[in-house]
Amino acid sequence: MTSSPQRLPDLRETAGPPGVPADTPEGLSRFNSASEAAARAALHEVCAAGAWSSAMLARRPYPTVGELLAAGEAATAALTADDLAEAMAGHPPIGRPRPGDPASAREQRGMAGASDTLKAELLELNLAYQKKFGQVFLICATGRTGEQLRDAAQDRLGNTPEREREIVRTELAGINRIRLTRLIRPEPEA
């Protein structure tokens, strides 16, 4: 199943609820007061696992950003193997961000200036990883160079499937945390 580009739904038009604490960011207020459909769509762009979105929706409203992020980590920790597979299906391979997807391009920025040789190496590693583990190589690529991504793929090829599943869960939690933060604290438009 393919999904549309990872563009987080715009929750700016939703008014915040009355009585929101002064230290609550405006984006969190918008998220808390968004319709269930709008919030679910936004959460799906953070993590493609339906169980994750449902767990996050069930705990709304979130009084603080910290509680939102903690709930995201708890929801990620509770994902089953099938849920993890569903979440991973929402991520493009490293080195091949989805065309027209600014989130994917931003997260994989470290590959932007990579040489053709490094890109070819990473493609081969992605294929070897997918053959061994039956899934895309998932890593929180934000802030990592192409060389660091390549080295991580090489290292992780030596893991057992059980060990790799737990690493994937940790990487997914990091990605979800970054995306949740962007959802409630959008970057200014250029």
Side-chain angles (χ1 to χ4, degrees):
M1 168 165 114
T2 60
S3 63
S4 61
Q6 293 266 29
R7 187 182 160 281
L8 295 177
D10 189 353
L11 299 176
R12 283 182 281 209
E13 281 121 35
T14 308
V20 172
D23 65 343
T24 303
E26 186 178 323
L28 181 59
S29 297
R30 284 190 306 272
F31 174 73
N32 281 334
S33 63
S35 70
E36 183 170 338
R40 184 174 296 280
L43 289 169
H44 180 77
E45 295 300 328
V46 172
C47 181
W52 187 87
S53 295
S54 293
M56 295 298 293
L57 285 170
R59 295 181 67 182
R60 270 194 328 162
Y62 293 94
T64 67
V65 172
E67 289 181 54
L68 173 73
L69 297 176
E73 290 181 18
T76 303
L79 294 177
T80 66
D82 287 343
D83 296 333
L84 278 173
E86 184 181 12
M88 292 176 66
H91 291 271
I94 294 295
R96 292 184 280 160
R98 285 189 186 96
D101 178 357
S104 179
R106 178 180 48 247
E107 290 169 353
Q108 295 193 33
R109 191 175 295 145
M111 287 299 297
S115 68
D116 289 341
T117 302
L118 181 57
K119 288 177 184 176
E121 283 179 88
L122 200 47
L123 175 61
E124 289 300 315
L125 289 164
N126 275 320
L127 294 172
Y129 182 95
Q130 190 156 7
K131 183 176 181 182
K132 179 173 181 176
F133 296 110
Q135 62 196 27
V136 68
F137 170 64
L138 185 76
I139 187 168
C140 185
T142 301
R144 292 185 173 159
T145 66
E147 290 80 5
Q148 289 170 324
L149 296 170
R150 178 203 55 213
D151 295 348
Q154 285 174 332
D155 290 345
R156 286 174 51 191
L157 274 170
N159 290 334
T160 64
E162 296 78 21
R163 171 82 176 118
E164 190 56 25
R165 189 170 25 257
E166 290 314 306
I167 291 172
V168 164
R169 186 181 305 277
T170 299
E171 295 294 330
L172 181 63
I175 294 165
N176 291 351
R177 184 178 188 89
I178 289 167
R179 289 179 176 184
L180 271 174
T181 301
R182 282 198 181 111
L183 174 68
I184 59 166
R185 293 183 181 144
E187 296 172 355
E189 297 192 25

